[in-house]
Amino acid sequence: MNTLRTAMLLAAMTALFMGVGFLIGGTGGMMIALLIAAGTNLFSYWNADKMVLSMNRAVEVDERTAPEYYAIVQSLAKQAGLPMPKTYLIDNPQPNAFATGRNPQNAAVAASTGLLQALTHEEVAAVMAHELAHVQHRDTLTMTIVATFAGAISMLGNFAFFFGGNRDNNDPFGFVGVLAAMIVAPFAAMIVQMAVSRTREYEADRRGAEICGHPLWLASALDKIARGAERIRNPDAERNPATAHLFIINPLSGEHMDSLFSTHPNTENRIAALQAMARQMQGGGAQVPRRAQTPRADEQRPSGPWDEVAQPEMPAEPAKPKSNPWGRNPTGPKGRWS
């Protein structure tokens, strides 16, 4: 079902791209747009993940450079039945994360240092479970290609101003067609991009909660990330807004409404859905899956309005308190940003 939906979406984006070409240059413009669309698809399939990681200056890490973070991803991937994805860290104070890659065998997950510093061990596990859910649903390829298409259509609309509207280009609509290409087509591409992201975020929330076993961990994480994103700007994301929908929470400033023009669902709506899922798990007497990784004794479970739903008690062990669950830095004693 997900494969069929992806194919239908890409067909719709290709048709939109060809429509813009037709408005600009008639039949000839439509054929050129078709060739560009095919090239865009091919390029995105093989290289979009590398582009997104490079745009955000992500650095690959392993069990030596980021032992705890890497171990969480490794454990969750095993629990979800997925191959171990490449694991990246972004040196950015804004708490956020995203996943990319054309398939589970070539996937990558990335978290910011701000996320690892601001969240507890359990909350980080829930966030990475959400990103692995995108990988499992094969959302990463679709969302990245849609972003590429949206950018290409917007660029084509800009070209219309320079190359459209003359009498010799077989354009049946003349200036009206050029105007539509410049305004309507990029607007339509933006709507498709945003609608795709919002729908898949809800699905990834649910599956991520199933992977880590605790919907309230993800609910707490979403609340912290949303509040952090409001306070802390992400310059890399601001420079590349077409990739904003890949993040678990919109990294751009001023996007907080659950409206047609938001790349993400309203955070409160997502939290409410996770709260309902937690109540369902408790009320139905369902077994809570084993957590992704046994916490250290100095960690505390998420606190906040989600405490109304009981969570299983964790065995207490004596330990010295630390400033955050990662010790003095998010990557471990020998991390890149020690």
Side-chain angles (χ1 to χ4, degrees), residues 296-323:
R296 298 194 312 277
D298 55 297
E299 297 170 6
Q300 298 178 358
R301 66 184 178 87
S303 59
W306 309 280
D307 287 343
E308 65 189 46
V309 182
Q311 294 209 20
E313 292 291 327
M314 300 296 177
E317 296 175 11
K320 294 180 180 179
K322 293 182 179 179
S323 57

PDB file of all heavy atoms in Angstrom, residues 296-323:
ATOM      1  N   ARG A 296      20.895   3.918  32.485  1.00  0.00           N
ATOM      2  CA  ARG A 296      21.770   4.017  33.633  1.00  0.00           C
ATOM      3  C   ARG A 296      20.974   4.520  34.817  1.00  0.00           C
ATOM      4  O   ARG A 296      19.927   5.150  34.681  1.00  0.00           O
ATOM      5  CB  ARG A 296      22.924   4.984  33.320  1.00  0.00           C
ATOM      6  CG  ARG A 296      23.799   4.516  32.177  1.00  0.00           C
ATOM      7  CD  ARG A 296      25.089   5.322  32.172  1.00  0.00           C
ATOM      8  NE  ARG A 296      24.824   6.748  32.281  1.00  0.00           N
ATOM      9  CZ  ARG A 296      24.515   7.518  31.230  1.00  0.00           C
ATOM     10  NH1 ARG A 296      24.409   6.994  30.037  1.00  0.00           N
ATOM     11  NH2 ARG A 296      24.307   8.822  31.397  1.00  0.00           N
ATOM     12  N   ALA A 297      21.491   4.311  35.977  1.00  0.00           N
ATOM     13  CA  ALA A 297      20.742   4.639  37.183  1.00  0.00           C
ATOM     14  C   ALA A 297      20.566   6.133  37.361  1.00  0.00           C
ATOM     15  O   ALA A 297      19.646   6.573  38.043  1.00  0.00           O
ATOM     16  CB  ALA A 297      21.456   4.067  38.411  1.00  0.00           C
ATOM     17  N   ASP A 298      21.448   6.952  36.754  1.00  0.00           N
ATOM     18  CA  ASP A 298      21.341   8.393  36.950  1.00  0.00           C
ATOM     19  C   ASP A 298      20.301   9.029  36.044  1.00  0.00           C
ATOM     20  O   ASP A 298      20.076  10.221  36.095  1.00  0.00           O
ATOM     21  CB  ASP A 298      22.691   9.061  36.691  1.00  0.00           C
ATOM     22  CG  ASP A 298      23.237   8.707  35.329  1.00  0.00           C
ATOM     23  OD1 ASP A 298      23.502   7.513  35.100  1.00  0.00           O
ATOM     24  OD2 ASP A 298      23.404   9.617  34.514  1.00  0.00           O
ATOM     25  N   GLU A 299      19.642   8.227  35.164  1.00  0.00           N
ATOM     26  CA  GLU A 299      18.630   8.770  34.281  1.00  0.00           C
ATOM     27  C   GLU A 299      17.284   8.835  34.977  1.00  0.00           C
ATOM     28  O   GLU A 299      16.992   8.070  35.878  1.00  0.00           O
ATOM     29  CB  GLU A 299      18.492   7.912  33.024  1.00  0.00           C
ATOM     30  CG  GLU A 299      19.759   7.892  32.193  1.00  0.00           C
ATOM     31  CD  GLU A 299      19.669   6.849  31.111  1.00  0.00           C
ATOM     32  OE1 GLU A 299      18.608   6.246  30.957  1.00  0.00           O
ATOM     33  OE2 GLU A 299      20.687   6.621  30.452  1.00  0.00           O
ATOM     34  N   GLN A 300      16.448   9.738  34.525  1.00  0.00           N
ATOM     35  CA  GLN A 300      15.097   9.843  35.009  1.00  0.00           C
ATOM     36  C   GLN A 300      14.154   9.747  33.830  1.00  0.00           C
ATOM     37  O   GLN A 300      14.449  10.218  32.749  1.00  0.00           O
ATOM     38  CB  GLN A 300      14.887  11.183  35.728  1.00  0.00           C
ATOM     39  CG  GLN A 300      15.777  11.329  36.963  1.00  0.00           C
ATOM     40  CD  GLN A 300      15.569  12.692  37.611  1.00  0.00           C
ATOM     41  OE1 GLN A 300      14.801  13.493  37.110  1.00  0.00           O
ATOM     42  NE2 GLN A 300      16.225  12.917  38.711  1.00  0.00           N
ATOM     43  N   ARG A 301      12.993   9.144  34.057  1.00  0.00           N
ATOM     44  CA  ARG A 301      12.043   9.044  32.971  1.00  0.00           C
ATOM     45  C   ARG A 301      11.431  10.411  32.700  1.00  0.00           C
ATOM     46  O   ARG A 301      11.441  11.280  33.559  1.00  0.00           O
ATOM     47  CB  ARG A 301      10.939   8.017  33.304  1.00  0.00           C
ATOM     48  CG  ARG A 301      10.037   8.406  34.462  1.00  0.00           C
ATOM     49  CD  ARG A 301       9.060   7.266  34.756  1.00  0.00           C
ATOM     50  NE  ARG A 301       8.207   7.555  35.889  1.00  0.00           N
ATOM     51  CZ  ARG A 301       7.064   8.206  35.820  1.00  0.00           C
ATOM     52  NH1 ARG A 301       6.654   8.676  34.658  1.00  0.00           N
ATOM     53  NH2 ARG A 301       6.334   8.413  36.896  1.00  0.00           N
ATOM     54  N   PRO A 302      10.864  10.624  31.496  1.00  0.00           N
ATOM     55  CA  PRO A 302      10.300  11.929  31.168  1.00  0.00           C
ATOM     56  C   PRO A 302       9.229  12.343  32.161  1.00  0.00           C
ATOM     57  O   PRO A 302       8.448  11.531  32.632  1.00  0.00           O
ATOM     58  CB  PRO A 302       9.693  11.695  29.770  1.00  0.00           C
ATOM     59  CG  PRO A 302      10.420  10.506  29.242  1.00  0.00           C
ATOM     60  CD  PRO A 302      10.777   9.673  30.428  1.00  0.00           C
ATOM     61  N   SER A 303       9.196  13.614  32.503  1.00  0.00           N
ATOM     62  CA  SER A 303       8.169  14.136  33.385  1.00  0.00           C
ATOM     63  C   SER A 303       7.338  15.157  32.643  1.00  0.00           C
ATOM     64  O   SER A 303       7.741  15.673  31.622  1.00  0.00           O
ATOM     65  CB  SER A 303       8.805  14.796  34.611  1.00  0.00           C
ATOM     66  OG  SER A 303       9.664  15.848  34.208  1.00  0.00           O
ATOM     67  N   GLY A 304       6.169  15.470  33.172  1.00  0.00           N
ATOM     68  CA  GLY A 304       5.314  16.453  32.534  1.00  0.00           C
ATOM     69  C   GLY A 304       3.873  16.009  32.572  1.00  0.00           C
ATOM     70  O   GLY A 304       3.483  15.141  33.344  1.00  0.00           O
ATOM     71  N   PRO A 305       3.034  16.559  31.688  1.00  0.00           N
ATOM     72  CA  PRO A 305       1.612  16.253  31.723  1.00  0.00           C
ATOM     73  C   PRO A 305       1.291  14.819  31.378  1.00  0.00           C
ATOM     74  O   PRO A 305       0.172  14.384  31.536  1.00  0.00           O
ATOM     75  CB  PRO A 305       1.034  17.211  30.649  1.00  0.00           C
ATOM     76  CG  PRO A 305       2.189  17.560  29.780  1.00  0.00           C
ATOM     77  CD  PRO A 305       3.380  17.532  30.671  1.00  0.00           C
ATOM     78  N   TRP A 306       2.295  14.058  30.883  1.00  0.00           N
ATOM     79  CA  TRP A 306       2.036  12.669  30.512  1.00  0.00           C
ATOM     80  C   TRP A 306       2.110  11.740  31.701  1.00  0.00           C
ATOM     81  O   TRP A 306       1.880  10.547  31.593  1.00  0.00           O
ATOM     82  CB  TRP A 306       3.060  12.251  29.454  1.00  0.00           C
ATOM     83  CG  TRP A 306       3.077  13.235  28.377  1.00  0.00           C
ATOM     84  CD1 TRP A 306       2.195  13.346  27.351  1.00  0.00           C
ATOM     85  CD2 TRP A 306       3.975  14.317  28.221  1.00  0.00           C
ATOM     86  NE1 TRP A 306       2.489  14.421  26.571  1.00  0.00           N
ATOM     87  CE2 TRP A 306       3.577  15.036  27.071  1.00  0.00           C
ATOM     88  CE3 TRP A 306       5.070  14.772  28.944  1.00  0.00           C
ATOM     89  CZ2 TRP A 306       4.238  16.160  26.633  1.00  0.00           C
ATOM     90  CZ3 TRP A 306       5.727  15.888  28.502  1.00  0.00           C
ATOM     91  CH2 TRP A 306       5.322  16.571  27.354  1.00  0.00           C
ATOM     92  N   ASP A 307       2.436  12.266  32.892  1.00  0.00           N
ATOM     93  CA  ASP A 307       2.546  11.421  34.080  1.00  0.00           C
ATOM     94  C   ASP A 307       1.212  10.836  34.512  1.00  0.00           C
ATOM     95  O   ASP A 307       1.165   9.921  35.322  1.00  0.00           O
ATOM     96  CB  ASP A 307       3.137  12.216  35.253  1.00  0.00           C
ATOM     97  CG  ASP A 307       4.620  12.462  35.058  1.00  0.00           C
ATOM     98  OD1 ASP A 307       5.234  11.763  34.232  1.00  0.00           O
ATOM     99  OD2 ASP A 307       5.156  13.358  35.714  1.00  0.00           O
ATOM    100  N   GLU A 308       0.098  11.358  33.927  1.00  0.00           N
ATOM    101  CA  GLU A 308      -1.206  10.819  34.303  1.00  0.00           C
ATOM    102  C   GLU A 308      -1.362   9.384  33.845  1.00  0.00           C
ATOM    103  O   GLU A 308      -2.191   8.644  34.347  1.00  0.00           O
ATOM    104  CB  GLU A 308      -2.310  11.671  33.679  1.00  0.00           C
ATOM    105  CG  GLU A 308      -2.314  11.615  32.149  1.00  0.00           C
ATOM    106  CD  GLU A 308      -3.255  12.620  31.536  1.00  0.00           C
ATOM    107  OE1 GLU A 308      -3.232  13.789  31.969  1.00  0.00           O
ATOM    108  OE2 GLU A 308      -4.021  12.242  30.646  1.00  0.00           O
ATOM    109  N   VAL A 309      -0.571   8.970  32.843  1.00  0.00           N
ATOM    110  CA  VAL A 309      -0.593   7.586  32.402  1.00  0.00           C
ATOM    111  C   VAL A 309       0.554   6.863  33.077  1.00  0.00           C
ATOM    112  O   VAL A 309       1.706   7.236  32.928  1.00  0.00           O
ATOM    113  CB  VAL A 309      -0.453   7.493  30.866  1.00  0.00           C
ATOM    114  CG1 VAL A 309      -0.519   6.059  30.420  1.00  0.00           C
ATOM    115  CG2 VAL A 309      -1.541   8.323  30.202  1.00  0.00           C
ATOM    116  N   ALA A 310       0.253   5.817  33.815  1.00  0.00           N
ATOM    117  CA  ALA A 310       1.282   5.127  34.601  1.00  0.00           C
ATOM    118  C   ALA A 310       2.311   4.493  33.689  1.00  0.00           C
ATOM    119  O   ALA A 310       1.981   3.936  32.652  1.00  0.00           O
ATOM    120  CB  ALA A 310       0.632   4.064  35.475  1.00  0.00           C
ATOM    121  N   GLN A 311       3.556   4.534  34.102  1.00  0.00           N
ATOM    122  CA  GLN A 311       4.628   3.871  33.388  1.00  0.00           C
ATOM    123  C   GLN A 311       5.246   2.828  34.291  1.00  0.00           C
ATOM    124  O   GLN A 311       5.200   2.956  35.526  1.00  0.00           O
ATOM    125  CB  GLN A 311       5.696   4.894  32.973  1.00  0.00           C
ATOM    126  CG  GLN A 311       5.178   5.880  31.955  1.00  0.00           C
ATOM    127  CD  GLN A 311       6.307   6.368  31.064  1.00  0.00           C
ATOM    128  OE1 GLN A 311       7.347   5.721  30.964  1.00  0.00           O
ATOM    129  NE2 GLN A 311       6.094   7.474  30.412  1.00  0.00           N
ATOM    130  N   PRO A 312       5.819   1.780  33.705  1.00  0.00           N
ATOM    131  CA  PRO A 312       6.413   0.730  34.532  1.00  0.00           C
ATOM    132  C   PRO A 312       7.565   1.262  35.364  1.00  0.00           C
ATOM    133  O   PRO A 312       8.344   2.089  34.908  1.00  0.00           O
ATOM    134  CB  PRO A 312       6.918  -0.294  33.488  1.00  0.00           C
ATOM    135  CG  PRO A 312       7.021   0.478  32.224  1.00  0.00           C
ATOM    136  CD  PRO A 312       5.960   1.537  32.280  1.00  0.00           C
ATOM    137  N   GLU A 313       7.657   0.808  36.579  1.00  0.00           N
ATOM    138  CA  GLU A 313       8.721   1.234  37.482  1.00  0.00           C
ATOM    139  C   GLU A 313      10.063   0.653  37.049  1.00  0.00           C
ATOM    140  O   GLU A 313      10.157  -0.502  36.651  1.00  0.00           O
ATOM    141  CB  GLU A 313       8.411   0.764  38.907  1.00  0.00           C
ATOM    142  CG  GLU A 313       7.213   1.473  39.527  1.00  0.00           C
ATOM    143  CD  GLU A 313       7.521   2.932  39.817  1.00  0.00           C
ATOM    144  OE1 GLU A 313       8.685   3.228  40.135  1.00  0.00           O
ATOM    145  OE2 GLU A 313       6.595   3.771  39.721  1.00  0.00           O
ATOM    146  N   MET A 314      11.096   1.439  37.098  1.00  0.00           N
ATOM    147  CA  MET A 314      12.434   0.972  36.760  1.00  0.00           C
ATOM    148  C   MET A 314      13.204   0.679  38.052  1.00  0.00           C
ATOM    149  O   MET A 314      13.057   1.410  39.030  1.00  0.00           O
ATOM    150  CB  MET A 314      13.187   2.052  35.958  1.00  0.00           C
ATOM    151  CG  MET A 314      12.503   2.409  34.658  1.00  0.00           C
ATOM    152  SD  MET A 314      12.451   1.013  33.538  1.00  0.00           S
ATOM    153  CE  MET A 314      11.519   1.746  32.175  1.00  0.00           C
ATOM    154  N   PRO A 315      14.011  -0.357  38.061  1.00  0.00           N
ATOM    155  CA  PRO A 315      14.777  -0.669  39.266  1.00  0.00           C
ATOM    156  C   PRO A 315      15.754   0.450  39.582  1.00  0.00           C
ATOM    157  O   PRO A 315      16.467   0.934  38.714  1.00  0.00           O
ATOM    158  CB  PRO A 315      15.518  -1.957  38.899  1.00  0.00           C
ATOM    159  CG  PRO A 315      15.543  -1.988  37.418  1.00  0.00           C
ATOM    160  CD  PRO A 315      14.292  -1.298  36.973  1.00  0.00           C
ATOM    161  N   ALA A 316      15.751   0.866  40.846  1.00  0.00           N
ATOM    162  CA  ALA A 316      16.626   1.965  41.264  1.00  0.00           C
ATOM    163  C   ALA A 316      17.963   1.427  41.744  1.00  0.00           C
ATOM    164  O   ALA A 316      18.039   0.406  42.415  1.00  0.00           O
ATOM    165  CB  ALA A 316      15.957   2.762  42.381  1.00  0.00           C
ATOM    166  N   GLU A 317      19.035   2.137  41.382  1.00  0.00           N
ATOM    167  CA  GLU A 317      20.372   1.780  41.831  1.00  0.00           C
ATOM    168  C   GLU A 317      21.074   3.054  42.293  1.00  0.00           C
ATOM    169  O   GLU A 317      20.858   4.129  41.722  1.00  0.00           O
ATOM    170  CB  GLU A 317      21.187   1.156  40.683  1.00  0.00           C
ATOM    171  CG  GLU A 317      20.593  -0.160  40.186  1.00  0.00           C
ATOM    172  CD  GLU A 317      21.370  -0.670  38.976  1.00  0.00           C
ATOM    173  OE1 GLU A 317      22.454  -0.101  38.710  1.00  0.00           O
ATOM    174  OE2 GLU A 317      20.908  -1.599  38.332  1.00  0.00           O
ATOM    175  N   PRO A 318      21.886   2.970  43.320  1.00  0.00           N
ATOM    176  CA  PRO A 318      22.582   4.178  43.769  1.00  0.00           C
ATOM    177  C   PRO A 318      23.583   4.653  42.727  1.00  0.00           C
ATOM    178  O   PRO A 318      24.294   3.864  42.142  1.00  0.00           O
ATOM    179  CB  PRO A 318      23.289   3.722  45.054  1.00  0.00           C
ATOM    180  CG  PRO A 318      23.424   2.247  44.895  1.00  0.00           C
ATOM    181  CD  PRO A 318      22.231   1.791  44.123  1.00  0.00           C
ATOM    182  N   ALA A 319      23.595   5.956  42.492  1.00  0.00           N
ATOM    183  CA  ALA A 319      24.539   6.520  41.527  1.00  0.00           C
ATOM    184  C   ALA A 319      24.679   8.010  41.787  1.00  0.00           C
ATOM    185  O   ALA A 319      23.792   8.648  42.332  1.00  0.00           O
ATOM    186  CB  ALA A 319      24.062   6.282  40.100  1.00  0.00           C
ATOM    187  N   LYS A 320      25.788   8.560  41.366  1.00  0.00           N
ATOM    188  CA  LYS A 320      26.013   9.994  41.519  1.00  0.00           C
ATOM    189  C   LYS A 320      25.257  10.739  40.423  1.00  0.00           C
ATOM    190  O   LYS A 320      25.287  10.345  39.261  1.00  0.00           O
ATOM    191  CB  LYS A 320      27.502  10.310  41.418  1.00  0.00           C
ATOM    192  CG  LYS A 320      28.321   9.721  42.557  1.00  0.00           C
ATOM    193  CD  LYS A 320      29.786  10.079  42.390  1.00  0.00           C
ATOM    194  CE  LYS A 320      30.621   9.500  43.535  1.00  0.00           C
ATOM    195  NZ  LYS A 320      32.058   9.817  43.371  1.00  0.00           N
ATOM    196  N   PRO A 321      24.573  11.825  40.774  1.00  0.00           N
ATOM    197  CA  PRO A 321      23.835  12.574  39.748  1.00  0.00           C
ATOM    198  C   PRO A 321      24.791  13.269  38.784  1.00  0.00           C
ATOM    199  O   PRO A 321      25.895  13.647  39.146  1.00  0.00           O
ATOM    200  CB  PRO A 321      23.044  13.605  40.567  1.00  0.00           C
ATOM    201  CG  PRO A 321      23.830  13.760  41.824  1.00  0.00           C
ATOM    202  CD  PRO A 321      24.459  12.423  42.098  1.00  0.00           C
ATOM    203  N   LYS A 322      24.326  13.420  37.543  1.00  0.00           N
ATOM    204  CA  LYS A 322      25.095  14.124  36.522  1.00  0.00           C
ATOM    205  C   LYS A 322      24.244  15.228  35.936  1.00  0.00           C
ATOM    206  O   LYS A 322      23.026  15.239  36.067  1.00  0.00           O
ATOM    207  CB  LYS A 322      25.540  13.155  35.416  1.00  0.00           C
ATOM    208  CG  LYS A 322      26.542  12.118  35.895  1.00  0.00           C
ATOM    209  CD  LYS A 322      26.976  11.241  34.742  1.00  0.00           C
ATOM    210  CE  LYS A 322      28.001  10.198  35.194  1.00  0.00           C
ATOM    211  NZ  LYS A 322      28.415   9.326  34.098  1.00  0.00           N
ATOM    212  N   SER A 323      24.883  16.168  35.239  1.00  0.00           N
ATOM    213  CA  SER A 323      24.162  17.308  34.701  1.00  0.00           C
ATOM    214  C   SER A 323      23.155  16.902  33.639  1.00  0.00           C
ATOM    215  O   SER A 323      22.124  17.524  33.477  1.00  0.00           O
ATOM    216  CB  SER A 323      25.147  18.318  34.111  1.00  0.00           C
ATOM    217  OG  SER A 323      25.941  17.700  33.113  1.00  0.00           O
TER     218      SER A 323
END
